[in-house]
Amino acid sequence: MKILDADKLPDLAAVLAAAGYRVVAPVRDGAQVRMAEWKPGLAIDAGPIPANSVKEFLFPRCEVIARYSLDGDSFAPQPAPVDAPKTAVLAVRPCDAAAMVALDKVFNWEYRDDAWNARREATTLVALVCAAADDECFCTSVGGAPDARLGADAVLRCADGASKFILEALGEKGQALLAAAAGVLADGDARPDPPASVPVRFDSKAVTDWCGENFESPLWRDLGLACLGCGSCAYACPVCHCFDIQDEGTRSEAVRLRNWDTCGLALFTQHSGGHNPRPDQAARWRQRVMHKFRYFVERFGGLACTGCGRCARLCPARLAISQVCREIDEARKAAAK
Amino acid sequence: MTIAIYQSAMMNIVLARDEAPDVRTLRLQFADEADRVRFFQKYRVGMFGLYGVPGAGESAFCVASPPTRTGYVECTFRRTGRVTAAIRDREVGQAVTFRGPYGNSFPIESWKGRAIVFIAGGIGLPPIRSVIWNVLDRPGDFGPVTIVYGARTVADLVYKDELADWGARPDVKLVTAVDPGGETPDWKGQVGFVPFVLDHAAPPGAGAVALVCGPPIMIKFTLPVLLKLGFAPKDVYTTLENRMKCGVGQCGRCNVGSTYVCRDGPVFTLDQLRHMPAADM
Ligand code: FES
């Protein structure tokens, strides 16, 4: 058994950085803990659930997808190389690791996204079994668990009353990481602490079924009234992957950029001719819930939600998707009686 | 390594024609022969592409030329925003970017021997013009062709030269129309809205195939006429033009319900449309 003292995560980060990994870890940033690139001296805090998901290290907020040199009215394509550094993500939550598996399907759906795949290939996800959960966590309602291993290449687990971590490799990438970290790992024995307990808050299958029959439900209107249309939920979500493509340029160079975007914003579907198929926030909320709980299931055989709860923690209007799902579940049960 | 799916082909503009106010056709030649070969291996009528000008952006519209003409790609588009304005401003001898073809296509091989009726309004003709030429370029393969085409005014009719061409052909029955008030003193075609003109022309629907493309309001009133004429909903086709960015099913922008227009479409039958949520279109 490979053991690491609980206060030695920075040592683990340092040894991995020395071995050539870009290390991403939960780093304290004022009042928040965020997943960020670790640098010597930064404090790693694996306690709170990070405010951002791990998504941005595999699918950046903004990325150059094509590049051109410009000369008057003519232009010529230039290389736009993909940046895919060898990366170790420490203490990624199981809900985030599972989300990367959902995104694998999107980015390889008939057309393969080379950047996504290169970064996935170069990234080792070291999941942390959640020892604590908060009121917004609902992984167990969407097929996950605080100690789920889906998507993880290695697992960190608190042990001996949070005084140690047990580090276990789950595949080749995990083994390579353990080998690189051998200098800070001890062989020994420890008793794993129990994972957090996360109550099941709704029946996701019932939500999927309900969505199939309730495109016209008044629920969407109610949700739309409260929503500010700010888009934070989608940016914080580990599975939301909608993006925009925009050009930017100077006289001598132009880049084509892929930027995060979301169906919650009014301009998302606006046609240049003026028509907008989703003219109000109600239609956009419907899209958001339907995409996660119905369309994704239809197209990829799984949910586009892993229960991390970030959308609820960040929403200025306190619109929690888990609460919406619970209402749907209850409405369905009431209708069945 | 680059992201291969977003690398565009360079296309040289070899011909530019203004069809109607703000509507322009470009004939584009692949700068690289390998891109041309790759395109025509995949291209079937109905598919679309992403046309762009570096620094301005990309815009999705149909490929308006048929796969039977393998030297070039033609597109016809209306200037509506910043990107289409930038493409509009490009002249013969200059270049644009192009990636595609994307999406599904009209299953024309299953239409062999059958009568085909094309119905278009305004800028709705380009998406089916590729089918018209594909059918006409293969004499003997298909049944009689009827084209019903209307626009708001005479000036708004696109492909005016080709309309004259089609009108003169013995294998085509062409009906052109302009909305009431849109006619000029020497207008020889009909005056009236497309659904009305179609009803009047009354092409037999039993066993035939219909393609409808135009503004939503025109499609809405044309469909009942087609059903009345005896067309089966599974034999009535249209194309949807949602906002698209990636073209490859990943940016999440083109959904109508669970349907990805860029991947599952843009070609749909009336049968399929009936199962899609109208409120999402
Ligand atoms: S255009 Fe991006 S998903 Fe269809």
Side-chain angles (χ1 to χ4, degrees):
Chain A
M1 204 177 259
K2 295 293 178 197
I3 309 286
L4 182 74
D5 285 340
D7 58 354
K8 292 279 164 34
L9 281 176
D11 295 4
L12 176 60
V15 73
L16 292 174
Y21 286 92
R22 165 178 76 151
V23 178
V24 171
V27 167
R28 183 151 286 284
D29 176 6
Q32 271 189 341
V33 168
R34 302 182 54 77
M35 294 303 281
E37 190 169 340
W38 179 85
K39 292 276 178 274
L42 284 181
I44 296 181
D45 187 347
I49 295 157
N52 57 334
S53 85
V54 74
K55 165 176 82 175
E56 67 194 68
F57 299 97
L58 292 140
F59 171 42
R61 293 154 194 241
C62 177
E63 167 167 36
V64 173
I65 58 172
R67 189 181 290 275
Y68 298 90
S69 57
L70 309 181
D71 181 11
D73 286 324
S74 65
F75 60 85
Q78 299 297 329
V82 167
D83 185 28
K86 181 170 152 186
T87 300
V89 186
L90 298 183
V92 59
R93 298 296 172 139
C95 45
D96 275 12
M100 300 307 103
V101 176
L103 290 182
D104 283 338
K105 298 176 191 162
V106 174
F107 288 118
N108 289 289
W109 192 30
E110 186 175 348
Y111 291 91
R112 303 176 150 269
D113 187 293
D114 301 320
W116 171 265
N117 290 329
R119 284 190 207 108
R120 276 289 270 156
E121 191 51 46
T123 301
T124 306
L125 294 176
V126 182
L128 171 72
V129 172
C130 292
D134 70 13
D135 289 349
E136 310 297 358
C137 287
F138 62 100
C139 57
T140 50
S141 307
V142 287
D147 56 352
R149 296 175 159 210
L150 180 65
D153 301 302
V155 177
L156 268 176
R157 178 152 201 186
C158 295
D160 287 355
S163 67
K164 294 194 170 76
F165 286 113
I166 301 169
L167 179 56
E168 183 192 344
L170 297 178
E172 268 173 40
K173 282 199 273 179
Q175 273 154 9
L177 181 135
L178 256 69
V184 297
L185 300 175
D187 280 304
D189 255 332
R191 268 173 70 91
D193 297 342
S197 92
V198 180
V200 174
R201 302 187 200 279
F202 59 88
D203 173 1
S204 69
K205 168 82 169 58
V207 175
T208 300
D209 290 348
W210 184 90
C211 283
E213 289 150 17
N214 287 279
F215 197 87
E216 307 292 346
S217 166
L219 172 79
W220 309 125
R221 194 198 54 215
D222 296 350
L223 289 169
L225 288 175
C227 177
L228 305 179
C230 72
S232 337
C233 49
Y235 284 26
C237 175
V239 192
C240 273
H241 56 273
C242 289
F243 58 84
D244 191 12
I245 296 176
Q246 289 286 344
D247 279 26
E248 215 173 72
T250 61
R251 262 164 191 273
S252 57
E253 195 202 46
V255 285
R256 198 152 278 163
L257 301 168
R258 163 162 66 181
N259 302 318
W260 286 3
D261 202 350
T262 163
C263 62
L265 301 179
L267 287 178
F268 189 64
T269 47
Q270 173 90 50
H271 294 197
S272 56
H275 173 65
N276 192 344
R278 296 193 203 117
D280 50 32
Q281 213 55 26
R284 293 168 211 139
W285 250 96
R286 172 170 60 202
Q287 171 66 19
R288 179 168 174 76
V289 177
M290 287 276 188
H291 193 191
K292 289 186 170 301
F293 288 87
R294 177 83 203 182
Y295 306 155
F296 209 82
V297 178
E298 283 180 25
R299 306 313 298 250
F300 298 113
L303 300 169
C305 174
T306 57
C308 71
R310 288 194 184 89
C311 50
R313 286 183 209 108
L314 272 181
C315 179
R318 305 295 296 157
L319 280 171
I321 212 161
S322 55
Q323 180 61 29
V324 173
C325 289
R326 192 148 58 193
E327 278 173 35
I328 289 174
D329 190 12
E330 274 159 20
R332 199 168 172 278
K333 282 198 196 105
K337 273 187 194 142
Chain B
M1 183 221 323
T2 53
I3 312 180
I5 51 176
Y6 296 121
Q7 306 315 306
S8 298
M10 293 271 284
M11 305 290 268
N12 296 318
I13 302 173
V14 294
L15 190 150
R17 192 174 53 228
D18 288 313
E19 303 283 357
D22 280 342
V23 178
R24 189 162 166 101
T25 295
L26 298 178
R27 179 176 292 181
L28 308 170
Q29 257 166 12
F30 289 90
D32 184 340
E33 171 65 9
D35 286 331
R36 189 193 68 82
V37 170
R38 213 172 304 128
F39 174 86
F40 281 102
Q41 274 168 356
K42 194 173 167 205
Y43 174 51
R44 304 287 177 273
V45 273
M47 292 180 171
F48 68 95
L50 279 139
Y51 305 76
V53 173
E58 290 182 311
S59 191
F61 24 89
C62 69
V63 175
S65 51
T68 40
R69 304 180 183 187
T70 55
Y72 55 82
V73 164
E74 281 181 345
C75 61
T76 301
F77 60 97
R78 187 194 295 280
R79 184 185 64 185
T80 52
R82 197 169 63 97
V83 178
T84 42
I87 302 173
R88 162 71 186 75
D89 288 345
R90 299 252 113 186
E91 297 295 345
V92 171
Q94 299 179 349
V96 294
T97 65
F98 175 84
R99 56 188 178 92
Y102 296 125
N104 71 347
S105 55
F106 291 99
I108 64 169
E109 300 311 322
S110 67
W111 302 344
K112 283 195 185 149
R114 296 166 73 182
I116 307 177
V117 180
F118 298 94
I119 304 137
I123 187 80
L125 188 55
I128 59 177
R129 174 216 192 208
S130 54
V131 194
I132 295 174
W133 280 122
N134 200 354
V135 166
L136 296 180
D137 282 349
R138 292 168 50 179
D141 275 4
F142 302 93
V145 167
T146 305
I147 302 170
V148 177
Y149 177 49
R152 263 184 314 157
T153 69
V154 175
D156 286 312
L157 293 162
V158 300
Y159 305 138
K160 292 181 183 69
D161 295 353
E162 293 182 17
L163 290 173
D165 239 37
W166 295 337
R169 289 176 73 122
D171 52 348
V172 174
K173 180 180 174 195
L174 175 73
V175 184
T176 50
V178 293
D179 292 354
E183 68 271 31
T184 51
D186 54 353
W187 172 243
K188 302 257 170 2
Q190 306 212 10
V191 175
F193 296 106
V194 165
F196 171 84
V197 172
L198 172 69
D199 198 4
H200 207 71
V209 172
L211 284 73
V212 198
C213 199
I217 188 79
M218 181 208 97
I219 295 183
K220 183 173 169 201
F221 288 103
T222 299
L223 293 178
V225 177
L226 287 171
L227 297 180
K228 187 182 117 187
L229 291 170
F231 289 88
K234 67 170 176 42
D235 290 326
V236 176
Y237 294 83
T238 189
T239 71
L240 291 184
E241 300 228 323
N242 269 35
R243 188 139 186 246
M244 303 194 204
K245 285 287 183 173
C246 71
V248 295
Q250 297 178 0
C251 76
R253 196 170 301 262
C254 65
N255 288 74
V256 175
S258 65
T259 301
Y260 283 74
V261 173
C262 70
R263 192 179 184 280
D264 308 324
V267 174
F268 296 95
T269 64
L270 175 54
D271 236 3
Q272 290 170 316
L273 286 185
R274 283 172 166 175
H275 291 104
M276 285 156 62
D280 225 12
M281 286 184 205

